[in-house]
Amino acid sequence: MPTSFNLTHLLLISAAYLLVLFGIAWLTERGVMPRALVRHPLIYTLSLGVYASAWAFYGAVGLAYQYGYGFLAIYLGLSGAFLLAPVLLYPLLRLTRTYQLSSLADLFAFRFRSTWAGTLTTVFMLIAVLPLLALQIQSIADSVAIITREQPHAYVALIFCALITLFTILFGARQIATRERHEGLVVAIAFESLIKLCAMTAVGLYALYGVFGGPAELEQWLLQNQTALSTLHTPLQEGPWRTLLLVFFAAAITMPHMFHMAFTENLNPRALVTASWGLPLFLLLMSLAVPPILWSGLKLGVATSPQYFTLGLGMQVGNPWLTLAAFIGGLSAASGLVIIVTLALSGMVLNHVVLPLYQPPAEGNIYRWLRWTRRGLIAAIIAASYGFYLLIGAGQDLSHLGTVSFVATLQFLPGALSVLYWPTANRLGFISGLLAGASVWVLTMLLPLIGNLPGFYLPLLDMVYVLDDTSWHIAAIASLATNVLVFTLVSLFSQPTSEEQSAAEACAVDNVRRPQRRELVAVSPQEFAAELAKPLGARTAQREVEQALHDLQLPFDEQRPYALRRLRDRIEANLSGLLGPSVAQDLVENFLPYKAGDETYVTEDIHFIESRLEDYQSRLTGLAAELDALRRYHRQTLQELPMGVCSLAQDQEILMWNRAMEMLTGIEAQLVVGSRLGTLPEPWRGLLTTFIDAPDEHLHKQRLALDGQTRWLNLHKAAIDEPLAPGSSGLVLLVEDLTETQLLEDRLIHSERLASIGRLAAGVAHEIGNPVTGIACLAQNLREERESDAEISEASQQIIEQTKRITRIVQSLMSFAHAGGLQQAREPVCLAEVTREAISLLSLNRDYDVQYFNLCDPQHWVEGDPQRLAQVLINLLSNARDASPPGGAIRVRSEAGEHTVELMVEDEGSGIPKSIVDRLFEPFFTTKDPGKGTGLGLALVYSIIEEHYGEISIDSPADPKHQRGTRIRITLPRHGGPTAAENP
C-alpha cells in the first residue's frame, strides 16, 4: 500500500518537531510562559514521563507479546517506587537539594567521600546506557524504514544523532551556573510526554473502535481467539515478571534520566507529592492502549514485528494521519530520553572523569570552559551511542536492548539504598560490590550482545548459558546477588573513615548531621574570596562567595564564626553543583581550612542542630517527638524568661541570647548568636567580659551608663558541661535589670526625706516665728516713733514686709511637704506687678551682671496667691540668672488665651540637656555644684503651679538656630482683672 510520506518528509517533520520543542523551551526561559504554569506540579509530573522512552512506546507491545500481562511491570515497578516516595524519593530529594548533588555519581562520591566511587559510577553508567541510547536511535531508523518501506539506512540514524546533538546542546548546555535549573527543558519534556500519551491513546482508540468496532466486538473476538487471551495470562505464572518489577523499581532512582528529572530539575519540592500518584496515573493511561494495539495487530496481520504494531497499524489500514501520530509519538519518546540521558551523563563525566584529571586555569573564564567542555561531552556521548548502534547492528530486538541496559543500572540499587539506610556501609564495600556485579553483567549480558554469542558454558553450574527471553533474568539476579553479597561482606569486615561517618550522618534518614564547631583560618567573606581566587580566579571566586551569601541571606561583612561555617558549607555545596562533590571538597579543604591547632577544642555545632531539629519536627514520632516537645518547652521557657540569659561555649561563642537580653541590650539575637563575646558593642562587652574574668559568681547593683542614663544590673554566672562535648565547660550568664526597682527605692527615700522636711518645717516655723514676730514689732515701733523721718519710716516698712515674706516662705515649705491644695484664698493677681516685685528683689544682689526685662501685659490677671506666685518667679528668675552669661538678658512676657494666661521666662544661657529635662522637677535633683543648691526649687515651683491648677513646661533650646537659651512656660487660669474704675 503506498504511503504519503517519503524520507524527506519525515526528516522535515522531525526537524520541525524538534524546533517546536526548542521554541517551547526558549519561550519558557524568556518568561513568556506563566510562572505558575511552569512550576505547577502537573508540569513536573509530565516531565517524569521521559521514562516512557521508545522502548515503552514501541517495545511495550513487544513485551506484551512475549510476557503477556508481564509487560505491566514496566509501569508497575516505577509506580511502586513513586508510591514509596516518603521513604525513598523524599530523602534523596532533600540530600540533592541541600548538597547540590546533580547525579547518582555525585551522591555516591559525597556519601562515600571517594573520587573513585564517583568515577566508577560514571564509567559504568556510561557503558550501561549505551544499549538504551542505541535503542532510541534504532527505533527512529526502523520507524523511517517502515514508513518509507525501505531498508534501514545508517545515514538516517546519523542525521537523527546530529539533530539531537544540536538540540541537546541548545536545551541543556547553553550556560553553566551553580544550581542550574532548566525550566524550559522541563516544560519541553512535559510537552513531549503529553504528545506521547495523546499519540498512544489515539492509536489505542483506533484499535478499539476502528479495528474492532468497540468493546463488545473486541470481547467477541477474544472469545473466538482464546490463544490471544491466554498468551497474556500464561507468562504471569512462569515468566520473569518479578524480576521485571525489581528492575523497573530500581529505574526510578538508578537510571540517569529519571534521577536528573526527579531530583536535579525539580523546581518545586512539593511537586514530588503530586508526582507520587500522578506519574503512576500517567503510566496507567499509557498502558491501557497496549492490549488493544496488540490484538488489533494480530487480527489485521500487521507486517511488522509486534514491537512496531503501534506504527504498523496505521500503515496496515492506510491511515496516514494515524501513522504520522505514531511516528511523532515515537520520535518524542526517543528524543526526550536521548536529550536527558546525554545531558545527565555529560555532567557526570565532566565532574568525575574530566575535572579530577584536569582543572581549568584560574586566569581564564571557568564558566566558559565548563560550558564548552560539556558541549563536547554531549556530542561525544551521542557519537558513542551511534557507534554502539553500528557495532551491534540494526537487527536487535528493542526489548532485548532495553533489558540489558536496565539490568546494568540495577547494580546501583544497593548503593542507593545504603546511602539512606545503612550508615556503616563504606567506600571499599560499595566499590567492590559494584565491580563484582558489573563483571557478572558484562560476562552474561553485554558480551553476548556485542559478540552475538549464542551462549557459553558455566562450569560451576554445569550448564550452558544462553542470553534469550528465558534466561536474561538469571543474569540479572546473579549480578545483583553478587553485588549485594560482596558489598555486605566487605563493608562488615572493613572500617569506614571519619569522613565517611560524617557523610553517613548527613545522608541517613533518621539522623541529623552534627557539624563541628571549629574556627576557620579565614575570618571574613572577603578572605574567603581571596583564598578561592587562587584555584578559581578572582571573578569566579567573588561570584561564588556572593552567591553563597545571597543563598544564606548573610551580609558581606559577616564575621560570626557560626555564620562563616555555614558559608563554608554552602560554598562547598554550590561548587559541588558546579564541579562535582569530590573536586569541591578538595578545593574547600585546601583553601578554606580550619585552624591547625583547633583540634584541641572541637565540639558539635549545637546552634546548627537546633535549626535542623526545627525542620525535623514534623518527621518525629513516638518518644522522639515527646522528647523534642520537652526540649522545645524548656527552650521556650528560657526564651520567655523575664531575665536576660546568655549562654557561652568554652571558646566564648554565644549559643543563646534570649528575648529579655534583646530588650535589655537592644541587640537582636540573630546578630550575635554564633559570634564571639568579644564582638559585642560597648558597654556590654566590657561589662560581661569583666564579670566573666572576676572570681565572684554574683555581682549586685552594678551601675551601667547607657544612652545618657544610668542602669542598675544584677549579674550571675554558672559553669555547665556542654552536652555535646563532654569535659568542656561553658557558661550561662543571667542579667537582671534592677533599674525600675532602684528608681522606686529612690522615690521612697525622697518621700521619706519630704516627710522629714515636713516635720522639720513645723519646728523651724515655730522657732523662727517668735524672733520674726519680735523683729516685726520692733520695726513697727520704730516706724511709729520716727514717723517724721521718712528714711527710717521706709526702712521700717521694708523690714515689716520682709518679715511677712519670711513667714510665707516657711508656710510654703510646710505646704510643699504636706499634701493639700491651695492654702490661701484666691484673689486676682496682676502678673506684671508680681514680676516687677520679683525682679526688684533679685536686683538687690549686685553680684550678677544680667538685665531683667518685664514684658508682661498689665491687663493679664490670673487667679491665685500673689505671694506664692512671686516665689515661683523668684525661683525661675534666679535659675535663669545662674545660667545666663555676663551681660545676658532675661525676659518675662505673658500671652493671654480665652481662659488662660501663659507666662514665659526666657534666658540666653547654654540650655538644658534633653536627657535631664524630664527630671528637673524631681525633688533633690540638681545640676549645681554641692552646696549651691538643694534640688527643691523647681520641685517647689511645680507644686505651687499644680496648686494653682496650672501647667509648666520647658523648651530648650529656646533659640534653635543658635542652639542656646531656655524658655519655661507657665499656664494659669485667667481672671478678668479689675474694672476700668478700679485702675488708677
Side-chain angles (χ1 to χ4, degrees), residues 37-50 82 89-90 93 186-187 189-190 193 258-276 279:
L37 175 64
V38 173
R39 291 184 173 267
H40 196 278
L42 178 62
I43 296 296
Y44 174 73
T45 302
L46 287 174
S47 70
L48 292 173
V50 71
F82 272 83
L89 303 184
Y90 296 169
L93 179 62
V186 173
V187 175
I189 297 300
S193 297
M258 290 305 298
F259 192 97
H260 188 83
M261 295 307 299
F263 306 123
T264 307
E265 296 293 352
N266 184 288
L267 302 175
N268 180 10
R270 299 181 63 86
L272 190 57
V273 179
T274 302
S276 64
L279 184 61

Side-chain angles (χ1 to χ4, degrees), residues 619-835:
R619 307 181 193 178
L620 299 176
T621 58
L623 181 60
E626 294 179 9
L627 291 175
D628 183 65
L630 183 62
R631 176 193 65 82
R632 292 171 182 274
Y633 177 78
H634 287 312
R635 183 170 181 82
Q636 188 68 20
T637 300
L638 291 175
Q639 285 289 347
E640 301 298 338
L641 195 69
M643 181 183 295
V645 178
C646 172
S647 178
L648 300 176
Q650 188 179 18
D651 56 354
Q652 292 194 355
E653 181 176 334
I654 299 174
L655 303 178
M656 171 177 279
W657 191 267
N658 73 343
R659 293 188 179 91
M661 284 295 285
E662 289 182 329
M663 298 290 292
L664 179 62
T665 62
I667 304 172
E668 295 183 8
Q670 63 180 3
L671 299 179
V672 294
V673 171
S675 63
R676 297 280 191 269
L677 186 67
T679 62
L680 289 178
E682 293 292 355
W684 300 105
R685 177 177 58 195
L687 174 69
L688 297 181
T689 302
T690 303
F691 177 56
I692 289 174
D693 295 336
D696 298 330
E697 294 183 353
H698 307 281
L699 187 62
H700 297 285
K701 291 191 176 181
Q702 176 69 25
R703 296 186 56 157
L704 182 71
L706 187 66
D707 297 332
Q709 297 182 354
T710 300
R711 309 290 291 269
W712 285 268
L713 307 172
N714 278 352
L715 289 91
H716 314 274
K717 65 183 177 183
I720 58 172
D721 290 334
E722 294 191 42
L724 298 178
S728 299
S729 296
L731 275 178
V732 171
L733 304 180
L734 301 180
V735 183
E736 183 181 7
D737 188 4
L738 295 177
T739 303
E740 294 296 330
T741 303
Q742 186 66 35
L743 292 178
L744 179 60
E745 290 179 359
D746 291 345
R747 284 195 291 270
L748 291 174
I749 293 173
H750 291 168
S751 299
E752 183 61 28
R753 287 180 179 176
L754 291 177
S756 299
I757 290 173
R759 292 189 295 270
L760 178 63
V764 169
H766 176 73
E767 296 297 328
I768 293 178
N770 293 330
V772 167
T773 302
I775 294 172
C777 292
L778 293 175
Q780 182 72 23
N781 294 334
L782 182 62
R783 184 182 61 178
E784 292 176 356
E785 293 176 359
R786 297 294 185 93
E787 289 183 359
S788 57
D789 191 337
E791 183 177 352
I792 293 177
S793 178
E794 182 179 357
S796 300
Q797 183 61 36
Q798 287 184 356
I799 292 172
I800 293 172
E801 293 296 329
Q802 294 309 311
T803 55
K804 291 180 180 180
R805 186 171 303 281
I806 292 173
T807 302
R808 291 193 181 98
I809 289 173
V810 173
Q811 291 176 347
S812 297
L813 185 61
M814 295 180 66
S815 175
F816 173 74
H818 294 85
L822 193 62
Q823 301 296 322
Q824 283 76 23
R826 295 174 179 269
E827 60 179 273
V829 179
C830 177
L831 292 180
E833 182 64 25
V834 172
T835 302

Side-chain angles (χ1 to χ4, degrees), residues 123-255:
V123 172
F124 184 59
M125 183 71 78
L126 181 60
I127 298 172
V129 299
L130 285 179
L132 187 63
L133 293 174
L135 182 155
Q136 315 306 314
I137 298 172
Q138 179 177 321
S139 68
I140 297 299
D142 290 347
S143 299
V144 173
I146 291 172
I147 294 175
T148 59
R149 297 186 182 278
E150 299 178 1
Q151 291 296 321
H153 294 290
Y155 68 85
V156 173
L158 182 62
I159 293 174
F160 172 73
C161 289
L163 286 175
I164 210 67
T165 299
L166 174 63
F167 282 96
T168 302
I169 292 174
L170 292 176
F171 273 127
R174 288 179 292 130
Q175 59 184 1
I176 293 290
T178 306
R179 296 167 319 284
E180 184 180 8
R181 295 288 186 271
H182 307 93
E183 292 185 347
L185 175 65
V186 173
V187 175
I189 297 300
F191 175 77
E192 279 203 320
S193 297
L194 196 59
I195 293 296
K196 287 183 293 189
L197 180 61
C198 292
M200 196 75 172
T201 303
V203 177
L205 290 174
Y206 183 86
L208 180 62
Y209 291 97
V211 176
F212 292 104
E217 294 189 18
L218 173 60
E219 184 179 2
Q220 183 66 29
W221 183 86
L222 289 174
L223 291 175
Q224 297 173 359
N225 297 268
Q226 290 292 330
T227 55
L229 194 59
S230 64
T231 55
L232 291 179
H233 292 281
T234 303
L236 283 179
Q237 294 145 12
E238 54 193 39
W241 64 273
R242 298 176 184 84
T243 307
L244 283 173
L245 280 176
L246 176 62
V247 168
F248 298 122
F249 174 87
I253 53 177
T254 60
M255 294 303 290

